[in-house]
Amino acid sequence: MLNTPTTPTAYRGRIAPSPTGYLHLGHARTFWTAQQRAKEQGGTLVLRMEDLDAARCKPEFVDAIYEDLRWFGFSWEEGPDLSGAFALYTQSQRLPFYRAAFEQLKQHGLVYPCKCSRQDVMRALAAPHVGEEEPVYPGTCRESNSRAADVKEKISWRFRVPDGEAIFFEDGGFGEQKFIAGKDFGDFVIWRHDDVPSYQLSVVVDDAAMQMTEVVRGADLLMSTARQILLYRALELPAPAFYHCQLLNDENGVRLAKRNDCLSLRHLREVGQSPERLKGDWDFY
Ligand code: GLU
């Protein structure tokens, strides 16, 4: 049988849920755009399970993700349940890859040990969605020149951002974007004090390793994209294209979150809603 090699330019996209709760209509909306864009280009859609937050991720939510996505009409070509050329597709099984990238950043002197703010460090595990952006880190540990071995407290590691540099990118959904390092966002956590990689590092390592050509996700991650572009550069990895989607709001204009139980896919199915009706005209995103 002839094996058709995938050219590096073939579209590869992903949906990357975190099993910290039931998926809601907002996730479905963003994921639908990701699926449509992959379909339009005859590309591959990957399902990646982002389960590094051991305290919040639960096996029942993993099961629910598969069930709810399939019910809604999603299908993917690679994922934890199907395997594929870029396996493994579950982040908790990919720790050596994150560790290697972290070591590379350390060797190049691009990260430094930081003993402040447990709270900021705790935040670093999850993608910073609307209202969850951390304050710009004041740089307390930046110039202390402390070596990890000399610091007694539990430490996290921060990426040193190039202060004042403007990070530009052309977003497929929102057009030209510009964020200033050190002003819009500061040195961010790469590795947590409890020895877990941060969202920013894991997502870059995986999107590069899985050869994503485009990342489709919610508009609340626009500023994270600027951080991630710095990481791609630091790790000498090619950055994908980005397409951010408008977020869905509830009737009070507040972004849908996992707490909006009545708009969870699970609940909508239980009350007899059909995916076709919920999707409406989404195919023309
Ligand atoms: N797992 C992340 C989330 O659910 C995905 C973020 C991303 O797509 O980069 O928020």
Side-chain angles (χ1 to χ4, degrees):
M1 198 178 84
L2 244 174
N3 212 350
T4 330
T6 355
T7 62
T9 49
Y11 185 100
R12 288 179 61 80
R14 44 63 155 195
I15 52 181
S18 297
T20 53
Y22 293 120
L23 295 179
H24 56 66
L25 204 55
H27 295 113
R29 179 78 181 91
T30 301
F31 293 168
W32 198 255
T33 304
Q35 175 163 292
Q36 285 303 107
R37 291 184 65 79
K39 276 209 169 117
E40 275 167 16
Q41 317 229 14
T44 300
L45 188 68
V46 174
L47 171 68
R48 186 170 68 227
M49 203 59 78
E50 303 213 322
D51 63 344
L52 287 177
D53 194 346
R56 290 173 62 220
C57 293
K58 300 217 166 77
E60 73 214 60
F61 295 135
V62 174
D63 296 343
I65 282 173
Y66 291 121
E67 222 181 280
D68 296 345
L69 287 178
R70 291 224 173 80
W71 167 73
F72 202 79
F74 286 100
S75 58
W76 47 94
E77 285 73 44
E78 297 170 29
D81 55 333
L82 301 172
S83 199
F86 299 88
L88 304 154
Y89 295 95
T90 296
Q91 287 195 320
S92 58
Q93 298 170 359
R94 298 179 55 79
L95 292 171
F97 297 108
Y98 312 135
R99 171 78 59 188
F102 174 42
E103 291 304 328
Q104 196 181 328
L105 293 173
K106 255 198 226 170
Q107 267 159 25
H108 288 92
L110 297 168
V111 289
Y112 61 88
C114 170
K115 47 186 180 184
C116 12
S117 175
R118 244 185 97 77
Q119 214 195 347
D120 280 358
V121 176
M122 292 311 286
R123 275 198 203 115
L125 197 50
H129 292 292
V130 152
E132 294 164 358
E133 274 291 348
E134 59 183 18
V136 174
Y137 179 64
T140 324
C141 292
R142 204 186 223 208
E143 307 308 340
S144 70
N145 286 327
S146 45
R147 292 183 313 125
D150 302 334
V151 183
K152 294 278 175 292
E153 297 91 324
K154 284 197 162 181
I155 50 161
S156 56
W157 289 80
R158 281 183 191 271
F159 181 82
R160 188 189 303 268
V161 304
D163 281 342
E165 184 181 331
I167 317 297
F168 292 96
F169 63 95
E170 184 64 30
D171 185 68
F174 284 79
E176 177 153 312
Q177 300 294 308
K178 176 185 171 194
F179 294 98
I180 313 280
K183 181 165 167 280
D184 293 321
F185 63 91
D187 295 349
F188 55 91
V189 173
I190 284 291
W191 206 269
R192 299 193 344 156
H193 72 287
D194 54 354
D195 209 22
V196 181
S198 72
Y199 157 72
Q200 306 292 355
L201 181 68
S202 58
V203 85
V204 164
V205 167
D206 287 349
D207 284 334
M210 296 176 186
Q211 296 184 14
M212 293 302 147
T213 59
E214 184 176 73
V215 164
V216 178
R217 60 186 170 200
D220 47 350
L221 291 171
L222 275 164
M223 191 145 74
S224 283
T225 294
R227 295 180 176 97
Q228 290 168 23
I229 285 171
L230 290 175
L231 282 183
Y232 282 107
R233 189 168 79 188
L235 293 165
E236 296 175 333
L237 295 168
F242 294 95
Y243 186 105
H244 289 80
C245 305
Q246 207 91 49
L247 301 174
L248 281 192
N249 292 333
D250 66 14
E251 66 282 5
N252 303 315
V254 178
R255 182 185 78 95
L256 294 192
K258 285 182 177 143
R259 61 181 177 277
N260 296 97
D261 281 345
C262 61
L263 288 175
S264 73
L265 298 186
R266 192 133 283 236
H267 178 79
L268 293 167
R269 173 161 62 149
E270 274 160 19
V271 299
Q273 290 271 9
S274 78
E276 286 59 43
R277 183 130 174 250
L278 293 166
K279 270 176 245 173
D281 62 354
W282 288 5
D283 283 348
F284 310 98
Y285 59 90

